Amino acid sequence: MTTNQSPQALNDTVIANGYCVGCGACAVPEQSPFKIVMDDYGQYQSALKDANVFATTQNDYEKLCPFGSGAPNEDEIGKQQFSETCEYNDQVGYYNGVFAGHVTEGDFRNQGSSGGMGTWVLNELLSKGLVDYVVHVKSETAAEDLHNIPFKYQVSESLEETQQGGKSRYYPIELSEVLKTVRNKPGRYAVVGLPCFIKSIRLLQAQDPVLAERIQYCVGLVCGHLKSAHYAESLAWQMGIPPQDLEGIDFRAKDPSQPANRYSTYAKGPSGEKVVPTNQLFGADWGAGAFKYKACDFCDDVFAETADVVLGDAWLPEYVQDSYGTNVVVTRNQDIRQLIVNARIEGRLEMDDLGVEKAVQSQDAGLRHRKRGIVYRLNFEVEADRWVPSKRLATPDHAKPQLEKEKQMLRVQMRDLSHESFKQAKERSDINVYIKRMTPVYSKYKRLGIPLKSRLKSKLKSFILRTLKIAGYQRR
């Protein structure tokens, strides 16, 4: 066994350049030189325990990181895992089943953010004896209140425990602590995660035979991006609950009077509970990307392409009006596909065969940002002479429209400015510091979405009004 210097290489590329997503994979190996810490911006990040000391190890840390040099990409991992039994689509990855629907049995749908399929799949794997444990995210005090923060990965082994993780958690989490539990506790596991987290598990399994044996199924979540802890704090603060008083949050409170995409935010503090429609809160526009990890802008995986099954929201006209939510489900593992088919026959699920093109349509905005917009963001970094991770495209595309380039640049500005301005707002105990600094950039970004003809008409109207005002005309 020889000393592997890849920890320093990973530190100098991924970590030093802001591409760490805080998954924790590099901290899992025994005697790892890495630790996971929460930074000043509310993000989990990897850090060397001691830059001068490297453990003697056989692990290649660059190949454990989803953004590391030399790590196989999602196509390569997917081909190895699924190509023998699945078809391939360049937006979704491999698939042997594509569905849209919801759970009709029990309380899965009511307690979930969407159609209830995430918790249902986990419970079905447990109840059919395919796994002994599930690894998923829930509140540290879930038995008392499902919305309490902070959230973390935990191990569950019953329906009651799995339902405590049935909500969307737009909050930083990391895997290293719970995967050490998996290594120390024999059994068969299913693990839930975002695309980059599932990829990191596949990379760990390639180097760790214990995890390869024990983790039987990976359940992926369709992903837009990961938020810092400051996102939750920013929403609650606008609702009258300052960061130091925030006790609990639900990012996806369903409203029976509204379509599925018009959900509310619930927050709890010492003075009580509040619920506000999310679209009334500044910074909640998902496309703008406030409080996004930088790494998320360099991930080109929306459908968790290395997972055995992936679940998301069916953002399609035929489903979105149902306020209780509808899932889009893409299967790659035959066991999980059969569980769904059998339950549909038994009437426990209401599931339509969706087709892969409809699945792509359901996540159109996210796919455009991840798969096509990434060429601009890579080019911004290359022009600044910074290291970039290897992605599934040859070179940045210089032939895209100028409007799209400007939109991507504004999204990058909002991403970075949200972290900086909210940190400053906390230091000054004034939420308006964040809002005032973000508003000009966000307003410019929103104007880009207005058709050119309408923008020109608006500018002409403003010009006429200014001219009349100069001439002494007063509007009545």
Side-chain angles (χ1 to χ4, degrees):
M1 187 178 296
T2 59
T3 300
N4 192 317
Q5 293 299 316
S6 66
Q8 187 65 56
L10 182 64
N11 184 72
D12 293 345
T13 55
V14 173
I15 299 171
N17 288 281
Y19 297 101
C20 177
V21 76
C23 68
C26 61
V28 172
E30 295 180 353
Q31 298 182 322
S32 170
F34 291 101
K35 60 183 177 180
I36 305 300
V37 298
M38 181 73 78
D39 70 11
D40 292 338
Y41 301 106
Q43 303 173 122
Y44 277 124
Q45 295 284 279
S46 179
L48 284 170
K49 296 174 183 175
D50 184 340
N52 298 313
V53 177
F54 295 102
T56 300
T57 177
Q58 289 183 319
N59 294 105
D60 186 337
Y61 288 91
E62 285 192 285
K63 291 183 179 180
L64 285 181
C65 175
F67 293 90
S69 298
N73 65 35
E74 289 81 356
D75 282 339
E76 293 165 337
I77 296 170
K79 183 177 181 180
Q80 182 180 11
Q81 293 281 334
F82 310 119
S83 61
E84 292 184 6
T85 58
C86 295
E87 298 180 68
Y88 177 78
N89 175 276
D90 63 1
Q91 301 293 299
V92 169
Y94 288 90
Y95 65 96
N96 62 10
V98 184
F99 308 93
H102 62 268
V103 185
T104 57
E105 65 176 333
D107 206 28
F108 292 97
R109 196 183 191 194
N110 288 336
Q111 293 195 22
S113 294
S114 189
M117 283 298 295
T119 305
W120 184 87
V121 166
L122 297 176
N123 183 65
E124 200 73 2
L125 290 170
L126 283 169
S127 64
K128 300 299 184 186
L130 294 172
V131 298
D132 305 301
Y133 309 102
V134 299
V135 175
H136 61 146
V137 177
K138 55 186 182 180
S139 168
E140 288 194 272
T141 54
E144 299 172 20
D145 190 329
L146 303 183
H147 309 136
N148 280 5
I149 55 175
F151 305 111
K152 64 180 292 186
Y153 268 104
Q154 298 183 58
V155 176
S156 296
E157 53 183 308
S158 69
L159 171 59
E160 181 182 8
E161 291 178 336
T162 57
Q163 285 192 322
Q164 293 168 0
K167 280 281 189 176
S168 296
R169 318 291 193 189
Y170 304 137
Y171 202 85
I173 30 79
E174 65 91 21
L175 279 163
S176 65
E177 183 180 335
V178 78
L179 289 184
K180 291 173 185 176
T181 300
V182 172
R183 188 192 285 122
N184 294 328
K185 186 175 183 179
R188 298 163 301 163
Y189 292 80
V191 181
V192 183
L194 301 175
C196 56
F197 281 52
I198 299 299
K199 181 181 178 182
S200 71
I201 288 170
R202 296 301 193 193
L203 297 175
L204 278 165
Q205 287 180 307
Q207 297 191 42
D208 189 325
V210 175
L211 294 180
E213 176 188 0
R214 292 183 182 170
I215 298 175
Q216 298 288 306
Y217 302 97
C218 289
V219 178
L221 304 173
V222 169
C223 181
H225 57 265
L226 182 60
K227 297 288 195 185
S228 77
H230 289 175
Y231 176 66
E233 294 177 358
S234 75
L235 300 183
W237 204 351
Q238 293 175 65
M239 297 163 69
I241 303 173
Q244 67 273 16
D245 291 339
L246 180 59
E247 298 173 352
I249 191 163
D250 181 352
F251 300 96
R252 295 279 297 270
K254 295 179 179 180
D255 183 345
S257 68
Q258 296 292 328
N261 59 351
R262 291 297 183 95
Y263 45 81
S264 296
T265 298
Y266 158 95
K268 181 181 69 173
S271 59
E273 302 171 325
K274 297 186 179 181
V275 179
V276 174
T278 304
N279 63 5
Q280 295 181 13
L281 298 171
F282 184 80
D285 179 343
W286 208 261
F291 303 105
K292 179 195 301 183
Y293 279 54
K294 178 182 176 179
C296 298
D297 265 341
F298 298 88
C299 170
D300 53 10
D301 183 1
V302 171
F303 276 91
E305 297 175 41
T306 66
D308 295 293
V309 59
V310 59
L311 311 124
D313 290 281
W315 299 133
L316 294 165
E318 56 265 46
Y319 298 112
V320 77
Q321 294 303 316
D322 189 336
S323 62
Y324 290 99
T326 304
N327 284 118
V328 60
V329 183
V330 176
T331 59
R332 305 183 180 103
N333 177 282
Q334 184 57 32
D335 292 342
I336 295 177
R337 181 184 181 278
Q338 199 60 50
L339 290 176
I340 292 171
V341 170
N342 291 346
R344 180 171 64 176
I345 293 170
E346 295 161 3
R348 296 188 291 131
L349 299 178
E350 185 173 311
M351 279 284 161
D352 300 326
D353 291 310
L354 189 62
V356 71
E357 294 305 324
K358 278 284 191 178
V360 170
Q361 185 183 335
S362 77
Q363 308 299 325
D364 176 66
L367 287 166
R368 280 187 283 111
H369 181 76
R370 291 287 188 92
K371 298 278 190 179
R372 300 209 292 270
I374 192 173
V375 297
Y376 297 100
R377 300 187 296 275
L378 283 168
N379 196 45
F380 297 155
E381 297 295 305
V382 170
E383 288 177 347
D385 197 27
R386 290 191 286 262
W387 179 89
V388 295
S390 175
K391 306 310 299 181
R392 288 178 289 177
L393 44 85
T395 58
D397 187 348
H398 298 281
K400 294 287 185 177
Q402 180 64 28
L403 183 65
E404 181 65 22
K405 180 179 180 181
E406 187 176 356
K407 180 168 71 174
Q408 293 299 329
M409 188 170 292
L410 286 170
R411 284 178 172 174
V412 169
Q413 289 177 14
M414 286 187 288
R415 180 196 76 206
D416 295 342
L417 183 59
S418 63
H419 295 302
E420 178 190 336
S421 62
F422 193 79
K423 179 176 178 288
Q424 189 177 55
K426 290 182 70 175
E427 291 168 349
R428 298 184 183 181
S429 300
D430 184 359
I431 181 66
N432 291 309
V433 172
Y434 154 69
I435 294 174
K436 287 179 179 179
R437 291 193 64 190
M438 284 286 289
T439 296
V441 185
Y442 181 65
S443 297
K444 186 176 181 181
Y445 166 75
K446 292 301 289 183
R447 286 197 297 271
L448 286 180
I450 301 172
L452 179 60
K453 185 176 180 180
S454 297
R455 279 188 280 145
L456 291 173
K457 188 182 295 184
S458 177
K459 287 182 179 179
L460 178 60
K461 182 179 178 181
S462 297
F463 172 76
I464 292 171
L465 289 174
R466 285 198 305 271
T467 303
L468 290 171
K469 188 174 181 179
I470 292 170
Y473 174 78
Q474 298 294 322
R475 294 183 67 187
R476 297 181 182 179

